[in-house]
């Protein structure tokens, strides 16, 4: 899942929904090659080994999923055209007719059984890979070639959402494919709109279009992904015309690209960046009174957390630091996505009320604290720490910002060396971040994996569990929103902003549909009309 597993996959609703639309675009403009400069470095050709953003993005050209996600992250048909619950623990999926793998063989239910069982029973990657999505699956069977029945060990009302993260591989008579063999040169065979052509690990992935794709031939003849990790280098490559599309453009470079005739598209990411408190310990490190004497952990007091929230100028970060390519956050996903609340809004800072709350909590003179975060991992990360430090100084809380490379920061955070820190979370649904970040740590329930502050709120845990046990739909979304409102009223974190995903493109591309999950695919790029 998300941060922990760094990100899942999708097939873009409107732009990717059916490749029939891609075929139409291909007919409007003579098909051409597409060159993409991306920060995403493909780590493996095994679609089930590493649940990472870059793998899920790039391999979605070759492989497909049973269920896709639309732009609001709701499930929609993919290789499965429909699904229904036969009982509390049984699901039936009807598969899409007329789908063929790249080698010409027909897609059937046996391929689904093979793929799920390969993840659940065969692969043992260090991080757990995709096994969290198959954990609840007790058995998967194929009563006929176009029907799959999945039996779960317990009620799994959101099973279709889990299936949005599983690529379907071709069944093999010789058993489960080994990751080493897939990476060693055997050609990946999927049902996707593009076929594998070549791969240089960490450098280049080349694809060619699948003319026999079930949704119609895709828009581009060939697609070349060049790994360009430096944002400045990606911008330069787009500026000079070396690439047609460049992803993860820094906001500071948007105006320059537009002046040079390049187009820029953006949308708020399905994620949040936030400040997280150490709440579990009686004494937090690097927290003192104004004379430097250690004090008991002030963040265990809700009034202190509320005061710091009131003193944080989130609109300033979004408007000034992110140059408008960010949205001030009041919750974990941008409002409007499935499970978010329309009642949570961002207000300007209220320093006087914040001071009053600190005094009420026993800190009329404030205190001193270290605020830690990574530098350069997310847009606006280190700059946000400086902004927050200035905000909190106005209510007497003197902050020492500490910025470190992400690997160093993450290790120290895990070791409990910080009292307050900057973090980020994303996933295939807001429920992942709610459970991982704010749920009480519980391995059996699968919650608390990102809860480094050891926050625990049994009432919230119950509300979230009840919402998670509901079938997908408006009622479930409303229950998730209610749970969100309840937990954020306790101020366990300060949501800061949802940064915007920015993609630039040249004249060859008429439009690029940016998805809130942040993948970079050729299916999102529409050729310009001639």
């Amino acid at each position: 899942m998300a941060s922990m597993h760094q990100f899942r996959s999708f097939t873009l609703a409107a732009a990717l929904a059916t490749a029939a639309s891609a075929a139409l675009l291909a007919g409007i403009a003579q098909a051409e090659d597409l060159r993409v400069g991306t920060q995403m470095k493909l780590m493996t050709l095994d679609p089930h080994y590493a649940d990472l953003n870059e793998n899920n993005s790039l391999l979605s050209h070759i492989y497909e999923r049973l269920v896709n996600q639309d732009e609001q992250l709701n499930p929609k048909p993919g290789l499965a055209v429909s699904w229904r619950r036969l009982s509390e623990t049984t699901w039936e999926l009807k598969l899409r007719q007329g789908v063929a793998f790249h080698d010409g063989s027909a897609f059937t239910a046996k391929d689904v059984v093979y793929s799920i069982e390969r993840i659940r029973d065969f692969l043992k990657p260090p991080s757990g890979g995709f096994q969290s999505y198959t954990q609840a699956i007790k058995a998967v069977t194929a009563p006929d070639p176009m029907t799959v029945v999945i039996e779960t060990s317990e009620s799994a009302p959101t099973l279709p959402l889990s299936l949005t993260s599983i690529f379907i591989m071709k069944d093999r008579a010789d058993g489960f494919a080994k990751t080493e063999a897939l990476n060693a040169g055997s050609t990946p065979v999927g049902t996707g709109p593009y076929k594998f052509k070549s791969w240089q690990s960490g450098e280049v992935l080349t694809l060619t279009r699948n003319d026999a794709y079930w949704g119609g031939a895709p828009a581009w003849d060939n697609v070349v992904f060049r790994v360009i990790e430096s944002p400045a280098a990606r911008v330069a490559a787009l500026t000079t015309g070396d690439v047609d599309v460049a992803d993860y453009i820094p906001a500071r470079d948007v105006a320059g690209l537009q002046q040079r005739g390049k187009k820029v598209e953006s949308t708020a990411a399905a994620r949040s960046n936030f400040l997280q408190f150490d709440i579990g310990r009686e004494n937090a490190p690097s927290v003192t009174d104004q004379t430097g004497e250690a004090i008991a952990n002030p963040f265990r007091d809700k009034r202190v957390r509320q005061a710091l929230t009131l003193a944080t100028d989130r609109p300033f970060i979004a408007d000034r630091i992110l140059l408008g390519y960010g949205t001030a956050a009041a919750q974990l996903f941008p409002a409007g996505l499935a499970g978010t609340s329309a009642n949570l809004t961002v207000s300007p800072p209220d320093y006087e009320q914040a001071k009053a709350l600190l005094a009420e909590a026993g800190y009329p003179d404030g205190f001193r604290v270290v605020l830690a975060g990574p530098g350069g991992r997310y847009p606006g990360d280190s700059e946000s720490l400086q902004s927050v430090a200035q905000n909190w100084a106005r209510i007497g809380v003197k902050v020492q910002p500490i910025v470190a490379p992400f690997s160093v920061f993450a290790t120290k955070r895990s070791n409990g060396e910080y009292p307050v820190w900057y973090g980020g979370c994303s996933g295939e649904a807001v429920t992942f971040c709610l459970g991982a970040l704010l749920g009480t740590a519980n391995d059996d329930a699968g919650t608390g994996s990102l809860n480094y502050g050891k926050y625990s709120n049994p009432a919230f845990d119950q509300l979230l569990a009840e919402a998670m046990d509901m079938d997908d739909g408006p009622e479930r979304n409303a229950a998730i929103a209610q749970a969100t409102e309840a937990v954020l009223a306790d101020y366990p974190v300060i949501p800061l902003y949802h940064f915007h995903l920015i993609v630039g493109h040249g004249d060859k591309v008429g439009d690029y549909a940016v998805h809130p999950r942040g993948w970079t695919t050729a299916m999102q790029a529409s050729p310009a009309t001639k």
Side-chain angles (χ1 to χ4, degrees), residues 345-369:
T345 58
V346 176
S347 300
D350 188 334
Y351 299 111
E352 293 306 314
Q353 185 181 354
K355 287 179 183 178
L357 282 167
L358 277 186
E360 184 182 322
Y363 304 96
D365 300 320
F367 51 85
R368 294 175 178 266
V369 65

Side-chain angles (χ1 to χ4, degrees), residues 299-312:
F299 307 120
R300 292 170 66 86
D301 191 318
K302 172 186 170 181
R303 293 168 296 185
V304 173
R305 303 193 300 268
Q306 183 179 1
L308 295 175
T309 302
L310 287 169
T312 301

